[in-house]
Amino acid sequence: NAGVTQTPKFQVLKTGQSMTLQCAQDMNHNSMYWYRQDPGMGLRLIYYSASEGTTDKGEVPNGYNVSRLNKREFSLRLESAAPSQTSVYFCASSWPYEQYFGPGTRLTVT
Amino acid sequence: QKEVEQNSGPLSVPEGAIASLNCTYSDRGSQSFFWYRQYSGKSPELIMSIYSNGDKEDGRFTAQLNKASQYVSLLIRDSQPSDSATYLCAVNPSAGGTSYGKLTFGQGTILTVHP
């Protein structure tokens, strides 16, 4: 089992560019999550999907959109990247409560 | 008041000692509690979960939960330099319902184990 996988591992964007972060899990978990982690700010929830077909905003959703493509896959899209979105992004999955994290994507917006 | 509070540290202990990490939470309805370890540059890794009052032991790790005091702790016995990491406390703020598996994380405590 690969667990939770994320692509890409690293990405550099210019301000205004768009991109999609991909996440997939093979643990048959119902719920999936996107977090960002910044120094001194801890882990902050961007969006989550309690089950296939549903998505909800977390603590910091502005500037992001998500798609729960199927039970395995949950993508995060930045439509117009801003320097404030420079961060490390983690995807996680769970059922019911124990969350397991992917390796992360380190994103820099210049 | 933060929902989940941890002392940011750093906490420094000598090799072989017991490291004690503490966490308090504000939501009295919380039912599920977790400890994650995060090495620098890596993702959080689940190391302990606890759901009932009392102690839960797993190898060198012991999680302690006191719901009346809204307090959860992690003890690491025989600390090793490889235990040096940031430890995140996480709380599921509800028994279920619409919160599903959402967790509220503390800011983390940096632990350094020196030889």
Side-chain angles (χ1 to χ4, degrees):
Chain A
N1 283 356
V4 181
T5 57
Q6 293 182 237
T7 55
K9 287 187 168 51
F10 301 94
Q11 184 72 47
V12 178
L13 291 178
K14 294 188 188 306
T15 297
Q17 287 184 319
S18 62
M19 78 162 296
T20 300
L21 281 65
Q22 306 286 356
C23 174
Q25 53 93 7
D26 62 2
M27 296 178 282
N28 201 35
H29 286 166
N30 282 3
S31 303
M32 298 186 73
Y33 312 83
W34 276 105
Y35 293 91
R36 60 179 289 174
Q37 188 174 41
D38 304 290
M41 301 296 290
L43 279 165
R44 293 185 291 171
L45 183 64
I46 304 171
Y47 270 94
Y48 69 101
S49 171
S51 60
E52 187 178 354
T54 69
T55 60
D56 282 288
K57 295 177 180 178
E59 181 185 354
V60 288
N62 291 347
Y64 305 95
N65 284 302
V66 291
S67 295
R68 183 75 182 266
L69 304 169
N70 48 55
K71 190 171 185 177
R72 289 187 64 248
E73 299 172 288
F74 188 37
S75 63
L76 178 72
R77 183 160 178 83
L78 287 70
E79 291 290 352
S80 179
S84 60
Q85 294 178 306
T86 293
S87 189
V88 180
Y89 291 85
F90 291 108
C91 177
S93 69
S94 75
W95 192 254
Y97 302 117
E98 295 182 352
Q99 287 190 19
Y100 296 89
F101 284 78
T105 295
R106 193 171 294 272
L107 175 67
T108 301
V109 183
T110 62
Chain B
Q1 182 189 3
K2 292 180 184 175
E3 295 181 49
V4 179
E5 293 209 47
Q6 297 181 252
N7 188 327
S8 61
L11 173 66
S12 181
V13 301
E15 184 174 357
I18 296 174
S20 178
L21 304 158
N22 304 315
C23 173
T24 58
Y25 59 95
S26 60
D27 183 348
R28 281 199 169 274
S30 300
Q31 296 291 325
S32 310
F33 307 87
F34 308 92
W35 284 99
Y36 287 82
R37 177 177 62 199
Q38 186 174 24
Y39 292 116
S40 181
K42 302 294 186 182
S43 59
E45 174 193 8
L46 179 66
I47 55 172
M48 290 289 283
S49 57
I50 186 166
Y51 301 92
S52 304
N53 275 332
D55 295 359
K56 179 182 178 182
E57 187 175 317
D58 184 359
R60 295 187 296 111
F61 298 99
T62 299
Q64 299 175 316
L65 175 61
N66 184 326
K67 290 184 180 179
S69 300
Q70 295 175 243
Y71 176 94
V72 58
S73 65
L74 180 70
L75 302 177
I76 306 175
R77 290 183 301 282
D78 188 23
S79 295
Q80 301 297 310
S82 60
D83 295 325
S84 298
T86 298
Y87 289 80
L88 302 169
C89 173
V91 176
N92 176 248
S94 160
T98 59
S99 74
Y100 302 96
K102 282 176 65 178
L103 298 179
T104 302
F105 286 84
Q107 298 274 34
T109 298
I110 299 170
L111 172 67
T112 302
V113 181
H114 53 86

